[in-house]
């Protein structure tokens, strides 16, 4: 890759992110509100986190606070999948620490939580930070998906922090990563460590929300990036007038990205996982619906169109979920026997006899390669439904449906499908101005919480555009 800086990169580097009014002032203080409570399972959570449960809501406001002005040492780690704006969180954190005391130091742990456990880090300098302002990706210090949860890993972190003299650690990540942050904060408080832990919520899926967090960072950029790609395909479809494009978007547990992109681009069909789950829609009903749309458009001379689907759709379809639950139980008992059968047809026959009639029909309707995928189990013992390429599954089933309709003289539709998956194209894009501002403010706010000696808090920033 070339080290030459483009005109766009120069322009983005020159952009100065905006801060909320409270963070722009020279003095800030932290106001404490009511005790925080989870939406559910409060007793279970309190039992797991007795030292950090129910902390008061902390709000950063203008005023003369008692935040330390002494030089402090802070670590930062990027965890999980990339999201546009991660570098600006680090830049905001760095600038806030230096503004409070120029002798404060920021260390970046390398390759995610694994670097925290192993004590692999580098000091982040102005030259390093300046090279990454307003850029996409996590390549400044890289990311990883290790978990900090084993007793030996927690002990290793405490030892590393003590050796570094670390006053705080900022973990930038999604729901799993912030669970890691909570576990580590609880452990360190119980052990009497001075290192405080702050979580910064991150996911392009947009599914980390509450009354304070209106959107997780990276969602705005990713949705805009995918929408531009979908818009290009829409224009291509109306130019070539002969292809149906089935587009799968990131979003395993939520359809926010797919829905936002649909609102921006207006495809012919958008499947929303939560709606399908709420209605109890079956796989066959979905296939019939798509086929009907294709045939209706063909009847008006339009043998082309766009379908958008979230990657996690199969997990929300009622009869697929029921079939997967049955399949998991069968594999739990007979996996060795089933995988030992040499012929695919023998495996299908055996499962057809073990599954309920409806689940057997659902399994039998799937393409052969997907049937084989579902006979494996991941490291947690679950059927790897995430490996199913949802757009290709729908193409196969809709193709079969339309061929059958043609045989019965019910349609003359010409169905030429193309499959697309947009994932990595969006999660490392240069952050939009919104995400650049938002993430810089998150980092800046995290620094204030560390200066206040708080631990176990998740940063959120509001009122970015109101003043």
């Amino acid at each position: 890759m070339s080290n030459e800086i483009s005109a766009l990169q120069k322009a983005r580097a020159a952009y100065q992110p905006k801060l909320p009014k409270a963070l722009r002032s020279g003095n800030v203080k932290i106001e404490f509100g009511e005790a925080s409570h989870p939406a559910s399972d409060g007793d279970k959570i309190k039992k797991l986190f007795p030292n950090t449960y129910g902390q008061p809501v902390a709000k950063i406001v203008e005023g003369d606070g008692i935040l330390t002005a002494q030089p402090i040492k802070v670590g930062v780690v990027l965890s999980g999948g990339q999201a546009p704006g991660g570098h600006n969180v680090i830049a905001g954190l760095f600038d806030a620490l230096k503004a409070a005391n120029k002798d404060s130091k920021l260390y970046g742990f390398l390759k995610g939580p694994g670097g925290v456990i192993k004590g692999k880090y580098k000091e982040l300098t102005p030259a390093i930070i300046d090279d990454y302002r307003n850029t996409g990706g996590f390549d400044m210090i890289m990311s990883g998906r290790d978990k900090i949860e084993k007793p030996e890993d927690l002990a290793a972190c405490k030892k590393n922090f003590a050796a570094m003299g670390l006053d705080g650690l900022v973990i930038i990540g999604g729901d799993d990563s912030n669970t890691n942050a909570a576990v580590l904060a609880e452990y360190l408080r119980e052990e009497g460590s001075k290192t405080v832990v702050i979580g910064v919520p991150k996911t392009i899926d947009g599914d980390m929300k509450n009354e304070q967090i209106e959107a997780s960072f990276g969602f705005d950029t990713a949705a805009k990036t995918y929408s531009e790609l979908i818009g290009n395909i829409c224009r291509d479809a109306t130019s070539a007038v002969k292809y149906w494009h089935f587009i799968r978007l990131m979003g395993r547990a939520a359809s926010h990205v797919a829905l936002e992109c649909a609102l921006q681009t207006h495809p012919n069909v958008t499947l929303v996982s939560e709606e399908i789950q709420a209605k109890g829609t079956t796989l066959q009903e979905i296939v019939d619906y798509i086929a009907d749309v294709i045939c209706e458009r063909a009847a008006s001379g339009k043998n082309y169109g766009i379908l958008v689907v979230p990657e996690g759709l199969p997990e929300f379809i009622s009869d697929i979920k029921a079939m997967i639950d049955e399949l998991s139980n069968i594999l739990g008992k007979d996996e060795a026997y089933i995988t030992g059968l040499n012929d695919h047809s023998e495996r299908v026959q055996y499962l057809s006899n073990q599954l309920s009639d409806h689940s057997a029909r659902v399994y039998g309707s799937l393409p052969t390669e997907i049937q084989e995928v579902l006979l494996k189990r991941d490291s947690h013992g679950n059927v790897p439904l995430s490996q199913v390429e949802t757009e290709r599954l729908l193409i196969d089933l809709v193709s079969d449906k339309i061929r059958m309709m043609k045989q019965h003289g019910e349609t003359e539709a010409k169905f030429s499908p193309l499959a697309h998956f947009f994932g990595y194209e969006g999660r490392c894009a240069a952050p939009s101005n919104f995400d650049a501002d938002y993430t810089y403010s998150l980092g800046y706010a995290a620094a204030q919480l560390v200066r206040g000696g708080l631990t176990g808090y998740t940063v959120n920033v509001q009122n970015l555009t109101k003043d």
Side-chain angles (χ1 to χ4, degrees):
M1 290 169 44
S2 172
N3 291 323
E4 184 178 348
I5 304 299
S6 70
L8 175 60
Q9 288 173 307
K10 291 177 182 177
R12 292 307 294 160
Y15 178 74
Q16 179 56 49
K18 298 179 290 294
L19 286 169
K21 188 176 181 181
L23 293 175
R24 290 199 301 268
S25 64
N27 295 317
V28 299
K29 68 177 181 179
I30 298 175
E31 286 185 352
F32 293 101
E34 297 180 355
S36 58
H37 297 286
S40 61
D41 300 318
D43 291 339
K44 293 180 181 178
I45 295 173
K46 185 176 182 179
K47 187 175 181 180
L48 290 170
F49 299 95
N51 295 293
T52 52
Y53 178 85
Q55 296 190 119
V57 174
K59 184 178 181 180
I60 297 174
V61 298
E62 294 179 84
D64 295 323
I66 56 172
L67 307 185
T68 182
Q70 297 299 310
I72 59 176
K73 296 180 179 179
V74 179
V76 63
V77 60
L78 296 163
S79 180
Q82 292 77 262
H87 288 152
N88 267 29
V89 178
I90 299 176
L93 177 61
F94 180 87
D95 289 353
L97 292 174
K98 292 295 186 180
N101 190 304
K102 63 181 178 58
D103 294 323
S104 291
K105 295 184 181 297
L106 179 63
Y107 302 96
F109 286 97
L110 305 178
K111 298 183 180 180
V116 182
I117 297 168
K118 298 172 185 176
K120 302 291 185 182
Y121 61 89
K122 67 179 180 182
E123 183 178 350
L124 299 178
T125 63
I128 293 173
I129 296 293
D130 288 347
D131 279 345
Y132 289 94
R133 292 181 186 273
N134 306 314
T135 63
F138 279 7
D139 45 314
M140 180 196 296
I141 55 176
M142 299 160 285
S143 186
R145 294 188 180 274
D146 299 277
K147 294 184 182 298
I148 304 174
E149 55 187 7
K150 297 178 182 177
E152 58 268 30
D153 294 340
L154 292 166
C157 291
K158 177 192 170 188
K159 182 179 178 181
N160 294 335
F161 299 161
M164 297 170 67
L166 211 62
D167 296 286
L169 174 72
V170 177
I171 296 179
I172 304 168
D175 49 1
D176 283 346
S177 303
N178 276 278
T179 298
N180 269 236
V183 170
L184 184 57
E186 176 71 21
Y187 173 80
L188 293 175
R189 175 167 284 187
E190 183 178 5
E191 292 290 310
S193 170
K194 77 167 186 174
T195 307
V196 301
V197 180
I198 304 298
V200 174
K202 171 272 315 175
T203 170
I204 67 166
D205 291 347
D207 56 350
M208 289 185 69
K209 293 184 178 183
N210 56 33
E211 292 181 358
Q212 289 78 38
I213 303 173
E214 298 175 11
S216 53
F217 84 72
F219 175 80
D220 181 70
T221 305
K224 283 183 169 71
T225 302
Y226 297 140
S227 293
E228 181 177 1
L229 295 171
I230 295 169
N232 293 343
I233 291 178
C234 288
R235 181 56 60 92
D236 187 270
T238 55
S239 300
V241 295
K242 61 180 179 180
Y243 295 117
W244 263 92
H245 298 268
F246 281 51
I247 303 170
R248 172 170 50 112
L249 296 175
M250 278 191 164
R252 180 176 176 186
S255 303
H256 300 305
V257 172
L259 183 55
E260 178 62 27
C261 290
L263 292 171
Q264 292 189 31
T265 61
H266 297 221
N268 302 103
V269 177
T270 302
L271 300 176
V272 177
S273 297
E274 293 84 347
E275 180 182 21
I276 286 169
Q277 182 182 47
K279 292 181 177 179
T281 309
T282 65
L283 178 60
Q284 189 58 55
E285 288 171 340
I286 294 171
V287 172
D288 290 346
Y289 168 69
I290 297 171
D292 287 345
V293 173
I294 291 170
C295 292
E296 286 179 14
R297 285 181 60 79
S300 62
K302 298 177 180 179
N303 286 293
Y304 59 91
I306 307 288
L307 177 143
V308 170
V309 57
E311 63 179 334
L313 176 70
E315 298 184 39
F316 291 81
I317 301 173
S318 59
D319 50 356
I320 285 190
K321 190 176 186 307
M323 181 267 292
I324 291 297
D325 290 342
E326 291 184 34
L327 193 59
S328 295
N329 291 331
I330 295 169
L331 289 173
K333 298 181 296 182
D334 304 331
E335 183 175 14
Y337 174 76
I338 294 170
T339 56
L341 295 172
N342 294 323
D343 187 76
H344 173 73
S345 61
E346 292 180 5
R347 291 191 285 273
V348 173
Q349 181 61 42
Y350 180 80
L351 286 170
S352 296
N353 292 330
Q354 300 296 314
L355 292 165
S356 65
D357 289 345
H358 186 73
S359 291
R361 286 195 296 273
V362 173
Y363 183 77
S365 71
L366 301 177
T368 300
E369 61 270 21
I370 294 179
Q371 290 177 344
E372 287 296 310
V373 166
L374 298 182
L375 293 182
K376 304 171 185 176
R377 294 199 289 174
D378 61 23
S379 58
H380 301 287
N382 301 316
V383 173
L385 202 57
S386 60
Q387 295 181 19
V388 174
E389 296 180 320
T390 312
E391 75 284 16
R392 297 187 185 277
L393 168 63
L394 293 175
I395 283 174
D396 284 341
L397 297 179
V398 170
S399 296
D400 290 341
K401 171 72 176 181
I402 291 177
R403 278 194 295 268
M404 184 184 70
M405 294 176 71
K406 282 186 175 182
Q407 289 177 359
H408 289 84
E410 297 173 1
T411 184
E412 296 181 358
K414 297 177 182 178
F415 181 53
S416 298
L418 294 174
H420 310 267
F421 172 50
F422 295 152
Y424 303 109
E425 296 89 344
R427 68 181 195 175
C428 278
S432 64
N433 283 356
F434 172 83
D435 274 328
D437 292 353
Y438 184 25
T439 50
Y440 186 79
S441 299
L442 287 170
Y444 216 96
Q448 314 312 318
L449 297 181
V450 175
R451 290 177 61 211
L454 306 184
T455 193
Y457 279 84
T458 300
V459 182
N460 67 81
V461 175
Q462 293 178 299
N463 301 324
L464 272 179
T465 60
K466 293 180 182 178
D467 53 27

